[in-house]
Amino acid sequence: MTAHPIFVAPSLLACDFGQLHAEVRRAEAAGGDWLHCDVMDGHFVDNISFGPAFVDAAAKVATVPLDVHLMIERPDHYFPRFVKSARNITVHVEARHDVAQTLAAIRAAGRTCGLALRPATPFEAVAPFLGQIDLLLVMTVVPGFGGQPFMPETMPKVRAAAAARARLGLGFRIEVDGGITTATAPLAIENGADTLVAGTSVFAAPDAAAAVRQMRGV
Ligand code: DX5
Ligand code: ZN
């Protein structure tokens, strides 16, 4: 039993950028609860994806909330440029910023705030911030690219997050991101995840709606 209803957040990283508006509509028609926007700066991760203009373009036709995942070195400097179009803004604990200050500033800007950690980062690194977040993003692949295989060794961190949330009486969502498919979603949910980022498994699915339904567990 998870604390929140299961959400599926298709990742636009896996969509056809040349058909962005159609892809946004397709992900929503498939039942996506949020649209996940993977922003990469080529420094924090070894890839460059897109920036605020792309997210604003998606927001032009999106009717569901945008969940922006900043895989960038300076999220404190750049997050304001996403406030217009994002509902949630997630920053990495490993990036070069004052984590508590950035999280508070995102909330002060009227958005929910998330904190993400790489597979190699221990849960203890985010423990001090659990009382200040609306979402914890446990990366289930090394950030930077879609289409990578799910890393089951990240599941103890999801369990630790769910246990800490219960122990502390907190209400943040637990999101997983990377290699989430109809095959791996049940394991993530069983360990306590309630928000599933899915790129390839939605946009490359022959039937995206069936994939979303199956991942959600219905
Ligand atoms: C990695 C990205 C991916 C993407 C989803 O930095 O964050 O995890 O969202 O990728 P797939 O295609 O594995 O669902
Ligand atoms: Zn992501």
Side-chain angles (χ1 to χ4, degrees), residues 11 13-14 36 38 40 69 71 139 141-148 177-180 197-201:
S11 167
L13 188 71
H36 189 77
D38 281 307
M40 302 177 186
H69 175 194
M71 286 167 273
M139 290 301 298
V141 295
V142 173
F145 298 88
Q148 300 178 81
D177 179 357
I180 301 299
V197 175
T200 311
S201 60

Side-chain angles (χ1 to χ4, degrees), residues 106-181:
I106 293 170
R107 277 185 166 171
R111 300 297 175 261
T112 58
C113 65
L115 188 57
L117 64 169
R118 289 178 164 129
T121 302
F123 177 75
E124 289 62 38
V126 297
F129 308 104
L130 297 179
Q132 294 176 258
I133 59 173
D134 302 293
L135 177 141
L136 182 74
L137 169 46
V138 177
M139 290 301 298
T140 43
V141 295
V142 173
F145 298 88
Q148 300 178 81
F150 176 81
M151 297 170 67
E153 59 270 39
T154 58
M155 289 299 99
K157 263 193 277 187
V158 172
R159 273 202 307 282
R165 180 178 63 188
R167 188 173 65 252
L168 300 167
L170 297 173
F172 56 85
R173 275 189 166 266
I174 299 175
E175 185 174 51
V176 286
D177 179 357
I180 301 299
T181 66

